[in-house]
Amino acid sequence: MAIIQKPDALSMSGNMKKFIVSSGSQIVFELKEGNSTLLSATYESGVDGRATIDVKDIIENRLSYTLSHTNFYEQTEIVKTFTAIIDGSSFTFKVIRCGVANLADTVSNWLRDNFLTWQPTNKQITYYSPEWITYYAQEACTVKLKATFPDAEQTLITLGSCDSGKAFTFNLQYAVISGLLGQKYPTHYDVWVENLTGTRLTYIQRYLYTEQKSDLEQWFLFENSLGGLDTIRTSGDTDFAGEYDHKLSSTDNITKEYLVDAKRVYNQNTGYLDDYERRWLLDFFPAIQKYIYHISAIRKIVVTDSDVKYSAAALPSSYNFSYHFIEENEAALLNLIRNQEAIPASITIPNLDSPDFHLPPRLSEYPRLPLHEGVILPAFDPYNEDPTVTTFGAILEAAIIEVLNRIEAGEGGGELVSILRSADPEAPSDYNVFSSLRTLLEIRKYFNENLGDIDKKYLRKDIEDIAREKITFLKGIIAADLSEFTDMIASGKITAHNIDVENHLLTNTLKVILQADIQSILLRGQMNSETFSSGMFGHGMRLRKDGEDWELELDKIIVRKAMTVYELIVQEMRYQGGQHIFGPAGAKLTNVTNGGSYWKCEHDGTMDFITGSQVFCQRFDVGSKAENSTGSQSFNGARVKRYWRLVTSYGPGWFNLSKSDCEPGSDIPEVNDQVAVLGHRINPDWQNATVLVSTGPNAPYLAHYARINSYSLVNKEPVRQGNLEGIVDAQFGQLHGHGLYAENVFLKGQFRLNNSKLVEDAIDEANRQQTVGAFNLLREYDARFDFKYWGQDGEKVEIDFSSIDRRRVLIAADRDDVLLNEDNNAFKIIL
């Protein structure tokens, strides 16, 4: 089985790839959301050996937009994580409810740069029109708003912070933003998203305040194809058509209406649209969820007919559509405001100097009104400037309905819940709850029946206790006081502030993060940095024992007073000769001139040292030498000269070396220096070098360096051939012997083991071994063996490996998976 195609780790539902699986047998497919299984099916491959599985419709049905009047909230249902299990192999991916036609970018990049809307970037709004915008965060970020006022003053505020991998919706209604600005009224405000470092991620969405387009203005909302919610303003005519179907019956020549089916249909014209608006509103008509702001409420509608067409050369244009409210059962009902014209837009307070007018100065002086359902309270809708009222009874009824809706019990939305008291014989179910006494009774009953010997099963936290079996802690142990262990084996990491070892500490790896305070160190083998490479262009350090001698290799040694050297062997880098370096260019300096911020170096090379090259030089200056009475030699002023500098410009036979751009501690260039190009900042063809070493420690070897674009060769040596003693790898440790160390190896031909056998012959010989005599080693999962554990009591058993599907067998041994055959010879099987 091979998965040829699958959805991306982050996918848009509208652009989600199908599963394409290649298999010669049936394919078992399962799709899950958390612990819920959405699809479990078996597929047969087609004639091409492939099966295509499309789960788009299933996933889109699990994604939905949440409409809330909260100013800032998370969209928990618009993006979810799913798991596909194909023949036992699982794959987890995240899907967001949106789609983009002909997407030419990655999903991650597009979502990072865009809000989930196609609305105009300069959008005209009114004071009360509802406006929301949604953003899916690729990283932790904040949503910023900058308001501009009529006097050109600007104010910057933060609307909220977004967590990575989640979608958030912001309320951007003008009235809400004005409240956030301290009741100040901007001419427009800009909204964008930026990361925690202040870098802007999205385009700037601008909202401009305008008056209503006409007295006929309507506000329609719809869930767009990107998963967000958009608001459109229509200014065209609205026509009403009432459709009534009268059902009649006649008895004894008397005709009656026994039923009237009523449907109120509204015909809406959008009003004039500009070029972008008429293309944007093409997203309105296929939207699954549509709303209208009607009589101080956002109500769902259904579009029943539409006339959507325009000429590209004709502007402005408009659309027509018909709709009715989704609540068909309310089609024949009315809710009219009596004397609406008599309700004043504002109330004028009478003359305060009038002796008949009295206003208590404090609320504490007002009389208390007993609450009953008819008490009237002022109420203001956030999307309407007209004042309204509600009653205490309406608030109480709405609160009761909300509470009952949130009780998950029974088909009656919680109204069928009954209370079981301590003496009731009725069994608990989804339709009843326990009283407090019944709860205590049930707890006591369960405890007596199931937890009578709880002290033998669970550890106490308030007294000393003993665990008689092994306990595994998945997230660690924290001991605030002394902990004693007779034996302790740590297969992972041990972190401790203090470790006091009285006798002997034996460990394979000791890692000290901050400081190691050691009175003495007895080194029997080798000490090295995390990674090490020997030679002229090596890195790291190593101290090791070489036979009876000790060898130290590192970058620098500083001796403040005196250094006694019995024999001094110097390996000096030359472009050709000694240790050989093969690079893009090399030469000997014939003249050096100080140019202020650079040195102009003339050379005898045949190749130009181009701009951006890194010139390297290392040679040993002996200084003055003196013979000592003991026969040894002393060197005064001996030093290793080394510099690694950048070429800033060049010409035939010369180049300029930077004084500031160099390896820290670099020396200055001088006449007769042997120099070579070792790396380039941007040109990959000049970032390679080969070093051939025939003498000295760890010789001989041939090292290849690549991608040298700085003054460091760490991780720049992908291949070394020859003596590998000069390599310490973070994964393999100290390498030994002669061989090949490389990032990638492609070999053909025969491969022999240390015992001179060919690899394929050794594998065939192991396969011919059909029976094994072993003790308590094999655990069999195949149903043919009835799920039994073999060798459970330590008896000797015979196992026929030729009858077992090796892909479904787990070989387990009591020491490193080593088995013993009947001749008591140890060997190891890897399946």
Side-chain angles (χ1 to χ4, degrees), residues 535-538 554-556 615-621 639-645 663-669 673 678 711-713:
M536 177 70 65
F537 302 108
L554 69 168
D555 294 322
K556 296 180 180 180
V615 171
F616 181 83
C617 173
Q618 182 167 315
R619 66 187 180 89
F620 185 75
D621 291 332
R639 69 185 183 97
V640 174
K641 178 180 180 179
R642 173 185 171 117
Y643 57 85
W644 201 355
R645 297 183 176 275
E663 180 186 43
S666 288
D667 288 318
I668 65 174
D673 285 348
L678 189 60
Y711 300 119
S712 173
L713 295 177

Side-chain angles (χ1 to χ4, degrees), residues 193-205:
V193 178
E194 62 182 40
N195 61 20
L196 300 184
T197 62
T199 302
R200 181 164 61 85
L201 302 177
T202 66
Y203 62 88
I204 295 176
Q205 176 68 48

Side-chain angles (χ1 to χ4, degrees), residues 5-16:
Q5 178 179 286
K6 59 185 178 182
D8 297 328
L10 176 60
S11 298
M12 294 181 179
S13 61
N15 303 84
M16 188 171 59

Side-chain angles (χ1 to χ4, degrees), residues 457-609:
K457 297 181 178 179
Y458 300 99
L459 291 176
R460 294 283 297 271
K461 295 192 295 184
D462 55 339
I463 62 174
E464 290 189 359
D465 209 345
I466 298 176
R468 303 185 183 278
E469 296 293 338
K470 181 171 66 175
I471 298 178
T472 301
F473 296 90
L474 298 180
K475 293 189 177 181
I477 299 176
I478 298 176
D481 207 341
L482 178 65
S483 299
E484 298 182 8
F485 298 90
T486 303
D487 293 297
M488 182 174 68
I489 299 176
S491 59
K493 180 177 71 172
I494 296 178
T495 302
H497 292 292
N498 294 287
I499 297 180
D500 187 3
V501 181
E502 294 183 359
N503 186 15
H504 184 66
L505 174 64
L506 178 62
T507 177
N508 289 332
T509 302
L510 178 63
K511 183 177 181 180
V512 181
I513 301 298
L514 293 178
Q515 176 179 326
D517 188 356
I518 305 174
Q519 291 183 352
S520 62
I521 297 178
L522 178 61
L523 184 63
R524 299 184 182 276
Q526 175 173 310
M527 179 174 66
N528 52 261
S529 54
E530 182 178 7
T531 59
F532 170 78
S533 177
S534 66
M536 177 70 65
F537 302 108
H539 59 269
M541 63 80 61
R542 181 179 67 181
L543 173 62
R544 67 167 184 170
K545 191 173 185 179
D546 184 12
E548 295 299 323
D549 299 329
W550 284 91
E551 175 187 277
L552 174 64
E553 183 173 349
L554 69 168
D555 294 322
K556 296 180 180 180
I557 295 179
I558 298 175
V559 181
R560 288 192 174 89
K561 291 188 177 180
M563 179 175 69
T564 301
V565 180
Y566 293 101
E567 182 180 4
L568 186 63
I569 301 176
V570 178
Q571 293 292 333
E572 180 174 315
M573 188 282 297
R574 296 183 182 275
Y575 178 63
Q576 197 170 19
Q579 294 194 22
H580 299 268
I581 175 172
F582 300 92
K588 183 173 70 174
L589 301 186
T590 59
N591 189 35
V592 177
T593 305
N594 191 337
S597 62
Y598 61 90
W599 287 287
K600 181 177 181 180
C601 302
E602 301 177 32
H603 61 86
D604 62 358
T606 58
M607 294 288 293
D608 289 331
F609 290 66

Side-chain angles (χ1 to χ4, degrees), residues 236-286:
D237 291 337
T238 301
D239 298 331
F240 170 75
E243 300 176 5
Y244 299 93
D245 184 9
H246 301 267
K247 308 293 184 180
L248 305 178
S249 65
S250 179
T251 306
D252 296 333
N253 295 323
I254 298 175
T255 302
K256 296 182 179 179
E257 288 182 310
Y258 68 89
L259 180 65
V260 178
D261 290 334
K263 178 180 291 186
R264 296 186 179 125
V265 179
Y266 298 86
N267 300 312
Q268 181 69 51
N269 179 268
T270 61
Y272 292 138
L273 304 172
D274 62 27
D275 178 60
Y276 188 87
E277 286 177 331
R278 67 185 183 185
R279 288 185 289 127
W280 166 45
L281 290 193
L282 295 178
D283 214 18
F284 168 76
F285 298 99

